Amino acid sequence: MKSLTLNRCLGLGMVSAAMMLSMSVAYALDADAASGLARQNNCFKCHSIEKKKDGPPFKELAAKYKGKPDAVAKIVHHLTSGEKAKFPDGHEEEHKVLKKDPAELKNLAEWILAQ
């Protein structure tokens, strides 16, 4: 009887693990799509991965938002709201508004945070 219960528990554990793995695969970051979207929208004109340009490098943004549960939402908001961006010389301009599918924007934000 104990081995039957143990086998059921192991079986349920394996099914649960497989479901969790499939869920994580379904939501996996698509780095190629994200960097392509960044290129397509000229994000690299003001930003880079590591070097400071007119906008902060993505590594700096990733460090700033590390561990913050609302990081993705804040970056998506910045990309879609047209809020002001401050430049090194002190002037401000509205950030380009990206009008894309929410899943694409979320992927881009997650990619930025993964740098």
Side-chain angles (χ1 to χ4, degrees):
M1 187 63 129
K2 285 184 181 182
S3 69
L4 181 59
T5 303
L6 180 61
N7 285 340
R8 283 185 182 165
C9 287
L10 288 173
L12 286 173
M14 291 173 63
V15 168
S16 295
M19 287 175 60
M20 288 173 40
L21 180 61
S22 70
M23 287 172 51
S24 67
V25 169
Y27 297 107
L29 174 67
D30 186 343
D32 290 338
S35 63
L37 184 60
R39 268 196 246 33
Q40 176 187 11
N41 286 281
N42 296 318
C43 297
F44 294 114
K45 177 182 175 193
C46 296
H47 300 275
S48 82
I49 302 294
E50 295 183 9
K51 296 179 182 175
K52 194 148 190 113
K53 290 177 136 180
D54 284 337
F58 293 147
K59 283 193 181 268
E60 187 177 302
L61 292 172
K64 175 182 176 181
Y65 289 108
K66 185 176 183 174
K68 295 185 179 175
D70 59 347
V72 170
K74 283 189 175 193
I75 290 176
V76 168
H77 174 75
H78 184 71
L79 296 172
T80 59
S81 69
E83 65 186 24
K84 298 276 184 182
K86 295 178 184 172
F87 287 78
D89 65 5
H91 85 281
E92 294 182 352
E93 291 179 16
E94 289 183 357
H95 191 276
K96 178 180 179 176
V97 175
L98 300 185
K99 295 178 182 175
K100 296 291 178 184
D101 176 70
E104 290 179 286
L105 293 167
K106 181 178 184 269
N107 186 61
L108 177 57
E110 289 175 348
W111 177 75
I112 290 169
L113 293 168
Q115 301 308 309

